[in-house]
């Protein structure tokens, strides 16, 4: 795999930060991402309950831009099952209630593609979408999936959604046994808006843990679902199965946050519906303990 140009930044996650051209992550990028997932220094624990922990880190260059890290212990879920669930876009539409629309656009290499994802934000904030270059790497019994934002000429920002920027987002799945694993979700996303403090607090105290628990439940149900829906179709494991058209890296460019419209939602108050437990009354759906 072609090596990206050397970065002038200090040792740490390299995708997008300081990068001017689109590159498929290399081994060093994956190692760097794994190191940050496992790092403890500089992270503030904001939630720890029922096998789920959440940390937040404010980015020095922009105090409104936060990193969030979630870790969950998954009993009765093999690492390879969780890896499949995160890749399976058709299954995601079934279990991820935040999805508005998601689809793969094109493939870049055997372990990288470009995709679209839009999601519902806590009311009354505007919903967001993102175009990302996603790459993945199995490492023995462990796996990494990570992405960063790119611009695709056929998918410009939409008027009905705010185009967010994934500076670096991804998952580290670590096997802890034949039928158990630990997943770490790391996200540094610019939501393109001066968000109110309640959004940051709610993300770490409620939304992130809820999403992890929902993912866990989805993993438990996946083997049965997959048996009924193209059980042998797994292009993330078998690249020759991919129906996606090929795309040259030169067709893409890095999505920089400062090129997008900034939406000031800092004074938006949380809606009564959200305070009462979330849109559509989903609050009780994922409040059960994982243990």
């Amino acid at each position: 795999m072609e090596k990206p140009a050397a970065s002038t930044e200090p040792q740490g996650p390299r995708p997008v930060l300081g990068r001017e051209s689109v590159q498929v992550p290399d081994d060093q990028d994956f190692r760097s991402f794994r190191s940050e997932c496992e790092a403890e220094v500089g992270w503030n624990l904001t939630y720890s309950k029922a096998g789920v922990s959440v940390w937040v880190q404010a980015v020095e260059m922009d105090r409104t831009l936060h990193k969030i890290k979630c870790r969950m212990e998954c009993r009765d879920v093999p690492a390879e099952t969780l890896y499949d669930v995160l890749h399976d876009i058709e299954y995601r539409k079934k279990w991820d209630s935040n999805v508005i629309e998601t689809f793969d656009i094109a493939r870049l290499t055997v372990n990288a593609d470009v995709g679209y994802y839009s999601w519902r934000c806590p009311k009354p904030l505007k919903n967001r979408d993102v175009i990302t270059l996603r790459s993945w790497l199995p490492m023995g019994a462990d796996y990494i999936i990570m992405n960063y934002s790119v611009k695709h000429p056929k998918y410009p920002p939409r008027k009905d959604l705010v185009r967010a920027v994934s500076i670096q987002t991804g998952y580290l799945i670590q096997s802890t046994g034949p039928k158990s694993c630990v997943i770490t979700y790391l996200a540094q996303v610019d939501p393109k808006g001066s968000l109110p403090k309640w959004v940051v607090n709610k993300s770490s105290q409620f939304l992130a843990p809820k999403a992890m628990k929902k993912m866990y439940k989805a993993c438990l149900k996946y083997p049965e679902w997959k048996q009924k829906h193209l059980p042998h179709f797994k292009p993330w494991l078998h690249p020759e199965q991919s129906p996606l058209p090929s795309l040259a890296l030169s067709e893409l460019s890095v999505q920089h946050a400062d090129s997008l419209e900034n939406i000031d939602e800092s004074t938006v108050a949380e809606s009564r519906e959200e305070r009462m437990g979330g849109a559509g009354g989903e609050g009780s759906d994922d409040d059960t303990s994982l243990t």
Side-chain angles (χ1 to χ4, degrees):
M1 206 176 291
E2 189 174 313
K3 302 288 183 183
S7 171
T8 57
E9 293 198 331
Q11 186 65 29
R14 298 183 302 155
V16 175
L17 290 174
R19 176 175 283 174
E20 294 301 322
S21 62
V22 175
Q23 302 280 356
V24 173
D26 65 1
D27 290 346
Q28 183 179 339
D29 291 309
F30 282 107
R31 285 195 300 268
S32 176
F33 179 81
R34 180 173 190 146
S35 294
E36 183 150 19
C37 285
E38 296 175 337
E40 298 180 2
V41 177
W43 290 93
N44 298 315
L45 183 67
T46 59
Y47 179 98
S48 183
K49 185 179 180 181
V52 179
S53 299
V54 182
W55 296 262
V56 172
Q57 181 185 79
V59 181
E60 290 298 330
M61 64 182 178
D62 183 351
R63 300 301 293 182
T64 65
L65 186 62
H66 287 72
K67 293 182 184 179
I68 188 169
K69 179 161 61 176
C70 311
R71 185 170 295 143
M72 177 173 62
E73 301 169 10
C74 298
R75 301 177 183 178
D76 304 315
V77 176
E80 56 267 27
T81 297
L82 183 42
Y83 184 62
D84 287 349
V85 167
L86 291 174
H87 271 290
D88 199 321
I89 197 168
E90 293 305 316
Y91 188 56
R92 189 176 195 106
K93 296 173 185 176
K94 302 292 184 183
W95 67 266
D96 187 350
S97 57
N98 290 322
V99 169
I100 298 174
E101 186 178 15
T102 183
F103 53 86
D104 298 326
I105 297 172
R107 60 176 171 172
L108 300 169
T109 67
V110 293
N111 69 322
D113 62 16
V114 178
Y116 174 86
Y117 180 77
S118 58
W119 70 96
R120 298 177 181 88
C121 291
K123 294 181 180 179
L125 299 180
K126 294 184 178 181
N127 295 329
R128 261 69 177 175
D129 72 350
V130 69
I131 301 284
T132 61
L133 186 159
R134 181 181 63 160
S135 53
W136 54 92
L137 183 68
M139 301 173 295
D142 300 342
Y143 305 87
I144 287 177
I145 304 172
M146 61 185 188
N147 71 61
Y148 66 88
S149 281
V150 293
K151 287 194 285 188
H152 189 293
K154 293 184 179 179
Y155 299 93
R158 292 165 43 170
K159 291 182 178 180
D160 59 327
L161 296 166
V162 176
R163 178 62 50 91
V165 177
S166 169
I167 297 172
Q168 181 167 257
T169 303
Y171 302 91
L172 169 63
I173 306 167
Q174 296 171 291
S175 177
T176 55
K179 295 184 178 181
S180 63
C181 63
V182 171
I183 180 171
T184 302
Y185 168 71
L186 175 67
Q188 184 178 355
V189 177
D190 187 336
K192 286 315 299 173
S194 300
L195 298 176
K197 190 173 182 179
W198 67 262
V199 173
V200 178
N201 291 339
K202 185 166 186 172
S203 294
S204 61
Q205 295 291 332
F206 177 73
L207 298 178
K210 179 180 178 181
M212 295 295 266
K213 293 173 185 178
K214 181 169 286 190
M215 182 191 301
Y216 174 78
K217 288 185 176 182
C219 289
L220 294 176
K221 298 176 181 179
Y222 182 70
E224 182 180 358
W225 180 91
K226 187 61 175 171
Q227 279 299 314
K228 301 174 183 177
H229 300 84
L230 301 175
H232 302 296
F233 182 71
K234 296 183 178 182
W236 52 94
L237 297 179
H238 311 291
E240 69 277 4
Q241 295 180 344
S242 177
L244 296 176
S246 295
L247 182 71
L249 284 176
S250 58
E251 295 292 311
L252 304 170
S253 56
V254 175
Q255 178 68 77
H256 293 293
D258 56 11
S259 68
L260 295 167
E261 181 184 3
N262 203 65
I263 309 297
D264 187 356
E265 296 175 293
S266 59
T267 60
V268 173
E270 187 174 12
S271 71
R272 181 178 183 277
E273 185 180 10
E274 287 291 331
R275 288 197 304 272
M276 296 300 289
E282 295 170 9
S284 62
D285 185 41
D286 297 285
D287 291 339
T288 54
S289 171
L290 298 184
T291 56

